[in-house]
Amino acid sequence: MNSATLGYRSARMSAHPNELDRRRIVRGLKARRRYRYVEPSVVDVDGGYRIASPCCSRNIDAEGGIIDVALLLFEPENEIWRLFWKNHKTGTWELHSVHVRLASILEQLNMDDERTFWQ
């Protein structure tokens, strides 16, 4: 690999998080079906974004504290997004699905018919 290729790979690897996509996620979450009256937060993490929100259902946190909702990680080598849900019983992130576009993750999060994310 030459230095030009390494520079390109390095730029791609550091593409996330970025302010533009963080704002796209914040804006996109406004179309969600569940808990539309609370303001989720989108936090930058290494390689992506973590979404957290007040626990309105009180199923996870009886006091309504802030809980993790989803983790979005970009894999630059394959140019895919990995969407994780929080298993609150074990305290671990579990892979939910793989996406090519950020928009399809937002659709998944906003529909959430199974209440996987918005508990």
Side-chain angles (χ1 to χ4, degrees), residues 21-27 29 39-45 48-52 72:
D21 284 325
R22 191 186 69 70
R23 287 183 184 188
R24 284 180 58 206
I25 295 166
V26 168
R27 189 174 48 251
L29 290 175
E39 185 85 20
S41 61
V42 178
V43 179
D44 294 350
V45 298
Y49 312 88
R50 181 177 53 85
I51 300 169
L72 294 68

Side-chain angles (χ1 to χ4, degrees), residues 7 24 31 43 45 47 54-55 58 69 77-78 80 85 87-88 98-99 103 113 115 119:
R24 284 180 58 206
V43 179
V45 298
C55 182
R58 315 274 191 200
V69 174
E77 299 83 24
N78 299 316
I80 58 171
W85 66 280
N87 182 331
H88 293 281
V98 177
H99 301 261
D113 292 330
R115 293 186 64 180
Q119 300 179 21

Side-chain angles (χ1 to χ4, degrees), residues 4-98:
T5 304
L6 286 174
Y8 175 70
R9 282 183 54 87
S10 176
R12 284 180 50 208
M13 292 178 84
S14 64
H16 294 283
N18 66 64
E19 187 61 23
L20 178 64
D21 284 325
R22 191 186 69 70
R23 287 183 184 188
R24 284 180 58 206
I25 295 166
V26 168
R27 189 174 48 251
L29 290 175
K30 293 182 188 291
R32 69 188 180 281
R33 287 186 178 176
R34 300 195 182 284
Y35 308 121
R36 295 180 58 185
Y37 44 87
V38 297
E39 185 85 20
S41 61
V42 178
V43 179
D44 294 350
V45 298
D46 189 28
Y49 312 88
R50 181 177 53 85
I51 300 169
S53 180
C55 182
C56 297
S57 69
R58 315 274 191 200
N59 291 332
I60 307 302
D61 184 336
E63 296 178 14
I66 304 296
I67 63 167
D68 289 326
V69 174
L71 180 65
L72 294 68
L73 296 177
F74 185 71
E75 189 177 296
E77 299 83 24
N78 299 316
E79 298 185 2
I80 58 171
W81 287 93
R82 294 187 183 275
L83 174 61
F84 296 83
W85 66 280
K86 184 69 172 254
N87 182 331
H88 293 281
K89 291 180 182 174
T90 64
T92 59
W93 289 105
E94 297 190 16
L95 181 63
H96 180 271
S97 52
V98 177

